[in-house]
Amino acid sequence: MDARRHDYEAMSDRIWGMPEIAYGEFRSVAEHTAMLAREGFRIRENVAGIPTAVVGEAGEGGPVIAILGEYDALPGLSQVAGIAEPQEVEAGGHGHGCGHNMLGSAALLAATAVKNYLAEKGIAGRVRYYGCPAEEGGAAKAFMVREGEFDDVDIAISWHPASINRVDDANSLANTRIDFSFRGRAAHAAAAPHLGRSALDAVELMNVGVNYMREHMPSDARIHYAILDAGGIAPNVVQGTAKVRYAIRARDLPGMRALVERVKKVAQGAALMTETQMSLQVVSAVSNLLGNTPLEQAMQMQFEALGPPPFDASDRAYASQIQGTLSAEDIASAFARAGVTPRKDLPLCDFVVPYGTKGVAMLGSTDVGDVSWAVPTVQARVATHAIGTPLHTWQATAQGKSGQAKKGLVTAAKVMAATAVEAIEAPDLIARAKADHKARTEAVPYESPLPADVKPPIKPAPAVAAE
Ligand SMILES: [Zn+2]
């Protein structure tokens, strides 16, 4: 893997330089497809009907090991690499603020290593690289699971760029995004206000109602909203239409479904109060992550054997500069999340958190959740950023091509590949992983959180390939 690392670091850098957001990752997926072809994988494009999803498979017979990659960027996080102050590459442009340029490149490097290992040793087994688009709010993996893309997979392995090295503790929330649209009646706001019925009023009353509901929901549930359409910019026109997008998160799918029904009632109440019509559209939905003890323990052993990424003095110098732009709370919370004692003057993580360490729960959401309900799944979090760097910030984008990013990428690839090889070679690991998965899903079997009529919001490929 060390012999091939430069090709994958270069691919990560190229993808960093072409930030594409949810379902628009045409150039990024082309990079991954070209690398799969070069490495000799059997390629399937347009996976689950999504033009920016790709799967590459290698090997024959035996178990099927899925290695999950991502390559989508975030809107509004354009940032020059390698500096420690905010400066956009392109005003208002996209940026790799979650490190998915590294995520996909490391996953593909791991898959390639496993492929070559199986071929050299003549071992039966298949490794499959899943190029998954639209992790950021697009739930592509949930659609891929719903379309049966993981039906014959034995286990799935992934990772995420982070600032602390550890095996992921599978702590994430189920999440759904729903657009609530209100239709009223436009009117002159001064001359004929009595004839108008304001859709914007309905949105505001819905938000007030949900804000009152917060006191009476489970403490780890989360609700956020953004007004997508305020009905226009003229205050002297009663707003005839308005739209608000809600993100509703809860500990698990039954909890999320219950909360969604309550939010719907608030929306109906707002429509009733304002004499407007309400309609709703689910945009995306993902499940909470499910852990898997045998796979987590196996990955932990490999991670400890390989050790943390071998950062050098120049990596630490840049990371220190980045830490200078972070608050003390940012840095303290990174340690708290991992459950380890804070250390001063430690710009980059030089340890692997022991297995089972309990930290403060990180209550985000990811579409890896749905894969984890379909098949036993394990993820590493590998240090690629200065300790305390919050993801989805300019500081995260700035470090995406740094020395720490590249060393973290290669370490992540080695941890994933070693875990995959152990799963293929250790006779009972996959069986134990499956038994653990069965025990966790027996009481509440998986049911896709995506309504049957909801399709991924795919975009047409650009007519002319952008240069
Ligand atoms: Zn991410």
Side-chain angles (χ1 to χ4, degrees):
M1 292 174 82
D2 284 326
R4 294 298 317 282
R5 61 184 293 165
H6 296 296
D7 290 342
Y8 288 84
E9 292 169 357
M11 182 168 84
S12 172
D13 284 356
R14 286 197 300 278
I15 289 171
W16 185 97
M18 55 175 82
E20 298 172 303
I21 61 170
Y23 296 109
E25 311 91 339
F26 292 97
R27 294 175 69 198
S28 303
V29 76
E31 287 279 349
H32 281 249
T33 307
M35 188 64 98
L36 285 167
R38 185 178 148 189
E39 299 287 10
F41 284 86
R42 303 184 288 272
I43 297 170
R44 204 152 49 79
E45 295 179 82
N46 206 35
V47 173
I50 303 172
T52 54
V54 67
V55 165
E57 188 186 82
E60 300 295 338
V64 177
I65 312 294
I67 299 183
L68 314 178
E70 299 167 8
Y71 31 72
D72 59 321
L74 285 152
L77 281 175
S78 177
Q79 166 64 33
V80 174
I83 62 173
E85 59 181 349
Q87 188 187 324
E88 291 173 309
V89 175
E90 179 195 345
H94 309 324
H96 270 287
C98 206
H100 295 181
N101 56 307
M102 297 165 242
L103 204 170
S105 300
L108 186 39
L109 174 55
T112 300
V114 176
K115 172 184 79 75
N116 293 346
Y117 182 87
L118 294 176
E120 277 167 30
K121 304 269 177 185
I123 297 169
R126 280 167 288 165
V127 61
R128 218 180 263 166
Y129 171 74
Y130 282 74
C132 307
E135 192 279 329
E136 302 289 358
K141 294 186 200 69
F143 288 108
M144 291 162 80
V145 168
R146 193 181 69 179
E147 297 308 309
E149 290 295 339
F150 290 86
D151 285 358
D152 65 343
V153 168
D154 287 280
I155 64 165
I157 299 171
S158 192
W159 80 293
H160 202 285
S163 71
I164 302 275
N165 299 300
R166 63 188 169 99
V167 173
D168 189 82
D169 58 357
N171 226 323
S172 80
L173 299 177
N175 182 13
T176 188
R177 291 182 177 212
I178 305 177
D179 288 351
F180 292 88
S181 300
F182 293 89
R183 177 168 292 278
R185 203 157 61 230
H188 192 295
H194 58 294
L195 299 181
R197 294 294 179 268
S198 171
L200 180 59
D201 285 358
V203 164
E204 293 194 82
L205 287 166
M206 177 183 176
N207 295 346
V208 169
V210 168
N211 288 338
Y212 269 93
M213 201 181 85
R214 290 182 195 280
E215 185 185 350
H216 311 287
M217 23 183 251
S219 59
D220 53 4
R222 299 279 186 273
I223 302 185
H224 341 280
Y225 57 81
I227 297 176
L228 302 189
D229 173 13
I233 57 165
N236 58 350
V237 177
V238 172
Q239 290 82 358
T241 59
K243 189 191 278 193
V244 59
R245 173 167 294 180
Y246 267 78
I248 302 164
R249 308 187 204 232
R251 173 56 60 198
D252 53 23
L253 286 180
M256 186 186 85
R257 290 196 176 99
L259 208 52
V260 165
E261 289 310 310
R262 294 176 68 191
V263 172
K264 281 185 195 170
K265 284 180 188 162
V266 175
Q268 288 158 356
L272 190 63
M273 283 190 282
T274 52
E275 295 191 322
T276 57
Q277 304 293 319
M278 186 275 291
S279 60
L280 62 89
Q281 177 68 46
V282 175
V283 181
S284 68
V286 301
S287 302
N288 57 304
L289 276 170
L290 209 59
N292 191 281
T293 307
L295 290 183
E296 288 159 9
Q297 289 174 338
M299 179 178 265
Q300 180 79 28
M301 276 181 52
Q302 300 297 346
F303 206 161
E304 285 177 6
L306 286 157
F311 301 121
D312 63 25
S314 81
D315 302 331
R316 281 188 284 274
Y318 178 41
S320 291
Q321 286 178 16
I322 289 286
Q323 279 192 326
T325 71
L326 305 175
S327 69
E329 289 82 3
D330 284 331
I331 296 170
S333 83
F335 286 103
R337 252 186 252 145
V340 295
T341 313
R343 274 166 58 188
K344 280 209 183 316
D345 304 319
L346 185 68
L348 288 166
C349 184
D350 62 357
F351 57 89
V352 178
V353 177
Y355 184 70
T357 305
K358 284 271 170 276
V360 178
M362 185 210 75
L363 298 171
S365 303
T366 167
D367 62 4
V368 179
D370 291 86
V371 178
S372 76
W373 278 86
V375 298
T377 301
V378 66
Q379 302 184 85
R381 301 189 81 84
V382 181
T384 47
H385 293 92
I387 293 178
T389 306
L391 294 174
H392 298 201
T393 58
W394 68 262
Q395 289 96 333
T397 310
Q399 293 172 80
K401 291 166 76 175
S402 63
Q404 60 259 36
K406 293 185 170 77
K407 293 180 182 78
L409 180 167
V410 175
T411 296
K414 289 178 179 177
V415 171
M416 288 188 284
T419 307
V421 165
E422 188 186 340
I424 292 169
E425 294 192 326
D428 67 335
L429 179 54
I430 289 176
R432 286 189 292 119
K434 285 184 172 175
D436 183 284
H437 189 261
K438 191 173 173 219
R440 290 171 191 257
T441 52
E442 228 157 23
V444 185
Y446 176 67
E447 199 186 310
S448 176
L450 293 163
D453 62 334
V454 175
K455 302 270 182 284
I458 56 174
K459 295 172 185 165
V464 182
E467 283 304 314

